[in-house]
Amino acid sequence: MKEKPNIEITENDVQTILQTNYQDFRGIVATGVYCSHCKREHLNVGIKEYTITLNDLNDVHLKGKCTICGRDVGRYIAYGEMEKVYQRAEEFRNAYKSRVNMKIVKKD
Ligand SMILES: [Zn+2]
């Protein structure tokens, strides 16, 4: 079986895949990110200017900047462990293949 590529997806795509879990996603984006710099101040930081990657496990990886100090931060969310989300991600991938602008993200 061919390994699934990591693909960069949009905010709309993540909403399509997560559906009811999208509110949770928005909460993480707003205040659920770890920043080693802001941790000292015990601040709840969010992430801005982020890219969203759907990886081969159908987990979501955010990369962007801390909403408070602007340093690079990331957040990995294991949505692929949720059966319904995983299934929707698979359906999304099947539909996504026909897109001309599909962005495959190089694996780390
Ligand atoms: Zn920070």
Side-chain angles (χ1 to χ4, degrees), residues 74-96:
R75 174 71 200 248
Y76 188 92
I77 316 167
Y79 283 124
E81 290 174 0
M82 303 169 88
E83 198 182 328
K84 284 191 172 143
V85 172
Y86 188 91
Q87 282 169 4
R88 281 196 296 268
E90 289 294 295
E91 287 163 16
F92 172 82
R93 282 176 179 279
N94 287 333
Y96 193 84

Side-chain angles (χ1 to χ4, degrees), residues 11 14-15 18-27 50:
E11 192 76 25
V14 84
Q15 193 169 5
L18 296 180
Q19 294 192 13
T20 53
N21 298 108
Y22 183 66
Q23 286 308 314
D24 165 67
F25 175 83
R26 292 306 310 167
Y50 53 89

Side-chain angles (χ1 to χ4, degrees), residues 54-73:
L54 185 70
N55 78 0
D56 55 342
L57 301 172
N58 289 332
D59 290 337
V60 168
H61 193 189
L62 301 175
K63 279 184 196 165
K65 296 190 184 313
C66 173
T67 48
I68 294 176
C69 73
R71 286 173 171 80
D72 289 342
V73 290

Side-chain angles (χ1 to χ4, degrees), residues 34-39 43 45-46 66-71 73:
Y34 176 84
C35 172
S36 56
H37 178 74
C38 295
K39 181 183 172 270
L43 299 169
V45 311
C66 173
T67 48
I68 294 176
C69 73
R71 286 173 171 80
V73 290

